[in-house]
Amino acid sequence: MAIAAPGQLNVNESPIWGSRSVDCFEKLEQIGEGTYGQVYMAKEIKTGEIVALKKIRMDNEREGFPITAIREIKILKKLHHENVIKLKEIVTSQGPEKDEQGKPDGNKYKGGIYMVFEYMDHDLTGLADRPGMRFTVPQIKCYMRQLLTGLHYCHVNQVLHRDIKGSNLLIDNEGNLKLADFGLARSFSNDQNANLTNRVITLWYRPPELLLGTTKYGPAVDMWSVGCIFAELLQGKPIFPGKDEPEQLNKIYELCGAPNEVNWPGVSKIPYYNKFMPTRPMKRRLRDVFRHFDHHALELLEKMLTLDPSQRITAKDALDAEYFWTDPLPCDPKSLPKYESSHEFQTKKKRQQQRQNEEMAKRQKMQHPQPHTRLPPIQQPGQHAQMRSGPNQPIHGSQPQVSAGPTHHYGKPRGPSGGPGRYPPNGNPGGGYSHPNRAGQGGSGYGSGPYPPQGRGAPYGSNSMPGGGPRGSGASGYVGAPNYPQQGGPYGGSAAGRGSNMMGGNRNQQQYGWQQ
Amino acid sequence: MTGLMPGELPHHGTPDGNSGKSSQDKQEESLGRWYMSRKEIEEHSPSRKDGIDLKKETYLRKSYCTFLQDLGMRLKVPQVTIATAIIFCHRFFLRQSHAKNDRRTIATVCMFLAGKVEETPRPLKDVILVSYEIIHKKDPAAAQRIKQKEVYEQQKELILLGERVVLATLGFDLNVQHPYKPLVEAIKKFNVAKNALAQVAWNFVNDGLRTSLCLQFKPHHIAAGAIFLAAKFLKVKLPSDGEKVWWQEFDVTPRQLEEVSNQMLELYEQNRLPPAQGSEVEGSAGGTRAASKAPSANEEQASKQISSQAPQHSSVERTAVPQRGTENQSNDGSAEMGSDITDHNLDIRESHNSEQLTHQDNKREVSNRSKSGTERDQDRIVGTKEGAEVGRRDESALNNSGSNVGRNLERREVPLGHSPNEAIKIDKDKLKALAAMGKKRKEQRGEMALKKDVMDEDDLIERELEDGIELAVEDEKNKRERRQNWSKPDGEDHHGGENHEETRDGRYMNMKVQFQKDMDEDNAEEGEMIDDASSSLNNRKRRMGSPPGRQPEMKKHLDSSYHNDLAE
């Protein structure tokens, strides 16, 4: 037989040794959505195993398979740890597909490509947002220890996650926590010669060195995010809910003090240091603001939220902190109660809530706080309580469980627990986004966000604290106006800094959509 | 030099030993499906099932490797990216047939994909344009045709579709490791001729990419083989610390070392056996040395005249002359020369394959016969190895002993500081190494071969002489055309008006430059600077600091980005 003709490709055969077809799985329900792609709960037809399918978005077909997806696949194929989400395989679909509106999606090259992950019942944000949910101290220690263990493994293997937040921390019904969504992850070298993008990590969890514009950084950026998560678990709400970069930095300075050459040698050489000089002297107030925290927890939090990345604690050292080795000890993951499935994105009702919240946000555009009429008395003014409409409907394949809090407490509970309801997109809609940012953004740990592909989502910074605690939060620093989005930003000129992998294109449309 | 491919290699230094082991096991599991024995590769490849025989598939493999090397150099990607593209291509055709997949389309896709995988992405437009021009280098209109929108869009759709096919066939296994890193790390520990040793070994690794070695052995095994051969070539004695031999640090067995070395050497033997090719190589290798060119031409003419008279004895005598010249050249040259020789021969076949269909059939016929000689020789060697029974092994041992005795007599002054077993094995390798690059061994082997098959060889020699002359003429034309094509799309190409000798030198320099780049950690990191988004300030800094070769790409990226903004 002659060799293939020029341009001939074998596109019809499905060899057993290549990638399997997505038809091996039956999609059960969509559990995530966003600018990155849809995430589905699915069942493998042959084995009945429940998995999560994350569709790889092919927005920029001009450059073929996205380089961000290539990075994610390479990294996930190298990482094998009980606290890191497992990429089981990658499957493809043969023909053109239809998106949820029934239109053929823009991808005209032989259908979709999906990453197959092990299924996890919850993400930390969805779990924390459950009505009446209160984490016990041993539970928080258990989650934090697993988070740090998984992150240390990543750092030892020279991987930066660069998008640690509650919705990217998945938890199964065995109490196991796993790091997920490596869409912004990056291999790094120890020589610190590489210039990396500083437009990564969701705004509320972004460290000061990135906000100031450094491009040489390492594992410390992830540890700042962990510190924010830690404080959020202890406090019951996000501690730095900024709506744009300047406000984000200002919130950090208010709590952690302003950086200078004494507490952060070399900070004055970071590009935007002078640009964001605070208008008044700011002292570090973290210990005062969180003085009600457990002593060891406060000690550890101090080291995580150190301004100077070179002095910030590492994941390995954090695991040795007294916090994890004093009573009450971290609980066994299996002893945690079973919860009904809780993903931040879940049902149509949540969408309706989003629309209602959006309308409320418009009405309050003048930034006049209007406390919700059903606000519990112990809550702070300006907080918005969202009452959820009962438990989620049972999920096929998972055991229905009666929603219940922990069966007993260890030690004295401290403050209400709970989490933020929504995350903002990074930076400003009108500002200069770097597109790798958006590639990995999302509310679900599998990589999808709470916002629909077009239009504005729920207002930023809304919190859900229906249960309340026996003692109110002493965070006087949070008294003030609620956070509303603002148009425009100071980075209009930095649009020229886009990466050369040309991941723009459709993403620009997504970006501009936010302005509508 | 450390961290040649930063972040690409997993580190298993986790605090939890079990976790580390588990990770390693899974890594092995994933990698395992891309390694198999040579026998499996040669006898059970998908192309074989579709009627493509071993020698043709071997030719096709070299063809797409040469194509990728050329494409990679024109796109100015580092050698690591070229190596990754070649391995993707090898793995693809390990699973898919040449009868159903056009190798140049697949190779283009593999380069496009490797660019993204190795953090040195190239715009799809550039990949398509350069690839199209290489594929159609004999067609003066190709450079213009690809710029027509319909033609370009068609190619684009083909490449994007091909990317899906390649990704699915590779099972999305995109983590590839290369011998370069273990090679550099090992040589750093030696205190002998580091730079020369690294350079020669590097070239052996690059040439070895044309074989299926990377489908049989892991990168550190190939690195060990390359260092071994480089030391032989440079006559450098590798250090041994007491009883510990240098290759034990590679976790490589003597058997593996022997197998890797022998397969690398086969590459050079194949290319030198045909006398006509030898003459051709000598002519080209001579470069600007007119003195060496003239004798070569005379020899060719003389051989032709004598061959036309068909006296057997005279042909045999004349055949020896070009061989001797080739060997002299080889003695004077270095491994780099070896690389160039290999490149050159493959270029001939490349141009040969680009002929029109009618000529293609004839040329392939000639090519098949030409390869037939090489193949027969290979079979002889393989038969000797594979057919060995207990008795034959004893005979082989006796032969080795004889060779050993002979070599000792010849090189009494060179002490062999090895154990008896090692002496036997390494001497055998010396024999093969010298056979590939040594004068005397080549002569003896050639003579023996000719004596055994005088009748067949005589006919083949005559045909190959004629074929060589024709190919030489075509090659000359093609080089001119390539130069023209090269100068058209990129105004900044400095080779446009120069003759083909300097073009070849330019390629040579590119190889060295790439070597420097790959060896230099900073340069390796530089690739990441281009595709990482950053503030405009840093962008400006990088632009100023970029090497000249990258300026056009930066410009293209920014222009494209700006254009996109306007479009949006």
Side-chain angles (χ1 to χ4, degrees), chain A residues 257-278:
Chain A
N260 52 57
E261 284 292 331
V262 173
N263 62 24
W264 184 347
V267 67
S268 59
K269 297 184 179 61
I270 303 186
Y272 301 142
Y273 172 72
N274 292 304
K275 186 172 188 178
F276 292 118
M277 196 74 71

Side-chain angles (χ1 to χ4, degrees), chain A residues 413-462:
Chain A
R414 297 186 178 271
S417 63
R422 298 290 180 269
Y423 294 111
N426 285 353
N428 307 301
Y433 290 112
S434 74
H435 303 289
N437 261 347
R438 191 159 295 281
Q441 293 309 307
S444 166
Y446 298 104
S448 293
Y451 303 105
Q454 296 177 1
R456 184 181 301 281
Y460 306 141
S462 62

Side-chain angles (χ1 to χ4, degrees), chain A residues 1 4 7-8 10 17 19 62-63 65 71 74 77-78 107 109 111 157 186 193 195 197 497 500, chain B residues 7-8 11 50 95-96 98 101-102 116-117 119 124 163-164 168 173 175 522 530-534 564:
Chain A
M1 185 183 294
Q8 182 179 346
N10 182 20
W17 27 257
S19 288
R62 278 173 288 181
E63 294 301 323
F65 196 68
R71 287 182 189 142
K74 286 177 65 187
K77 276 182 177 268
K78 284 197 289 189
N107 180 11
Y109 297 109
N157 283 276
R186 180 75 186 217
N193 274 337
N195 278 334
T197 177
S500 65
Chain B
E8 294 300 326
H11 292 254
D50 285 339
R95 303 295 186 187
Q96 293 245 33
H98 276 286
N101 299 276
D102 173 36
K116 293 187 275 193
V117 165
E119 301 293 346
L124 177 57
E163 188 180 46
R164 297 304 192 89
D173 275 335
N175 286 308
D522 289 341
I530 290 180
D531 60 0
D532 267 342
S534 183
N564 284 333

Side-chain angles (χ1 to χ4, degrees), chain B residues 183-198:
Chain B
L183 185 155
V184 169
E185 287 183 343
I187 290 183
K188 281 195 302 181
K189 301 174 183 175
F190 301 155
N191 288 321
V192 293
K194 283 186 184 180
N195 290 336
L197 195 64

Side-chain angles (χ1 to χ4, degrees), chain A residues 11-42:
Chain A
V11 299
N12 297 318
E13 236 171 281
S14 278
I16 56 176
W17 27 257
S19 288
R20 294 202 288 167
S21 166
V22 73
D23 297 333
C24 298
F25 298 87
E26 176 194 353
K27 292 176 182 173
L28 302 176
E29 180 180 347
Q30 184 172 350
I31 57 177
E33 183 187 34
T35 56
Y36 186 73
Q38 293 89 17
V39 183
Y40 302 92
M41 183 188 184

